[in-house]
Amino acid sequence: GCCGIQGQKYKMTARFRDSKITHPILGQRLELECLPTERDSGVSWMRQDKDGTLHFIVFISSLSRTTFIGNMGTSARFQAMRDSSFYRLVIKSFSVQDQGNYFCLINSNQMLHFSNGQPAFIPVPTTKAPTTAAPTTQGSLTKTETCLKTPAPETSKQKGLNFFCDIFIWVPLACGCLLLLTALVITITLCQKTRRRRCRCKR
């Protein structure tokens, strides 16, 4: 922020005229006042924007004559005057472009002296994050039932692959067992016929 020249005891105060105001309201009138602590030959009002750039607003002489930017005596946006020991600045309708830190300054003994900065910013509205309600028991049960009734695609695919694998494994085994069983039946039948022939020959 800006301050007086180092080593100087000269002090000024810039503030809202209404001490109850904490921040400006968009579209409403805003009044600031500057109180020098010593005799002066006039006060200038300046605004420092968010980027730190200083903007000249008006010079108010000790006789309450005003000189705005462009060497104009009046302004469509501002009013300025001297009232007793105070130098007042009025913003007729506060807008977004009027936001910044406001300073008053004087030129005393060929030295510039700045007041403290009075912040004037429109408060940013805070939006609450949407809250998500916890799922009900019924909803949880419904989701569970759905999961039970409808298997996941990956599970179905895996089951299909397992089924084909079972076919390729068990079909050859079944055929082999059937062939072995057939061979066993044929062998038993032949053995029985051979035994009968032997028995007839002995008689």
Side-chain angles (χ1 to χ4, degrees):
C2 296
C3 59
I5 301 298
Q6 188 174 2
Q8 300 296 320
K9 296 181 180 180
Y10 196 97
K11 293 182 180 180
M12 293 187 296
T13 303
R15 63 193 180 194
F16 294 134
R17 186 179 181 186
D18 186 352
S19 59
K20 296 179 182 179
I21 294 177
T22 56
H23 55 77
I25 300 175
L26 190 65
Q28 292 195 8
R29 179 185 177 96
L30 180 67
E31 297 187 27
L32 299 100
E33 62 183 13
C34 177
L35 177 62
T37 57
E38 295 183 9
R39 294 183 61 182
D40 58 84
S41 57
V43 167
S44 295
W45 277 98
M46 303 191 74
R47 177 179 64 88
Q48 184 183 35
D49 61 22
K50 293 180 179 180
D51 297 327
T53 305
L54 287 173
H55 301 269
F56 172 79
I57 299 174
V58 64
F59 171 75
I60 311 170
S61 71
S62 57
L63 300 176
S64 196
R65 293 179 181 176
T66 57
T67 305
F68 291 90
I69 189 169
N71 202 27
M72 302 295 291
T74 59
S75 170
R77 294 170 53 197
F78 303 101
Q79 289 179 346
M81 68 208 74
R82 180 177 180 178
D83 182 8
S84 183
S85 299
F86 293 94
Y87 289 85
R88 304 193 190 281
L89 173 67
V90 178
I91 304 171
K92 297 178 182 180
S93 178
F94 197 88
S95 63
V96 175
Q97 64 179 346
D98 293 322
Q99 295 184 108
N101 289 304
Y102 284 80
F103 299 89
C104 55
L105 62 95
I106 67 169
N107 186 352
S108 177
N109 297 325
Q110 297 182 349
M111 299 185 72
L112 291 176
H113 302 270
F114 284 82
S115 71
N116 62 303
Q118 172 59 59
F121 294 95
I122 301 170
V124 179
T126 55
T127 55
K128 294 183 179 180
T131 55
T132 305
T136 58
T137 307
Q138 184 177 359
S140 300
L141 290 175
T142 304
K143 289 182 179 179
T144 306
E145 291 173 358
T146 304
C147 291
L148 291 174
K149 291 179 181 179
T150 307
E154 294 181 358
T155 306
S156 301
K157 186 177 181 180
Q158 186 65 34
K159 287 183 178 179
L161 291 174
N162 291 338
F163 176 72
F164 285 114
C165 289
D166 292 341
I167 290 176
F168 284 117
I169 293 172
W170 289 107
V171 168
L173 287 176
C175 292
C177 291
L178 183 61
L179 289 174
L180 289 174
L181 182 61
T182 304
L184 183 61
V185 170
I186 293 172
T187 303
I188 293 173
T189 304
L190 291 174
C191 288
Q192 287 180 351
K193 288 181 179 180
T194 305
R195 288 181 63 184
R196 287 177 183 176
R197 287 178 182 177
R198 287 179 180 177
C199 292
R200 288 177 183 176
C201 292
K202 287 180 180 180
R203 290 178 182 178

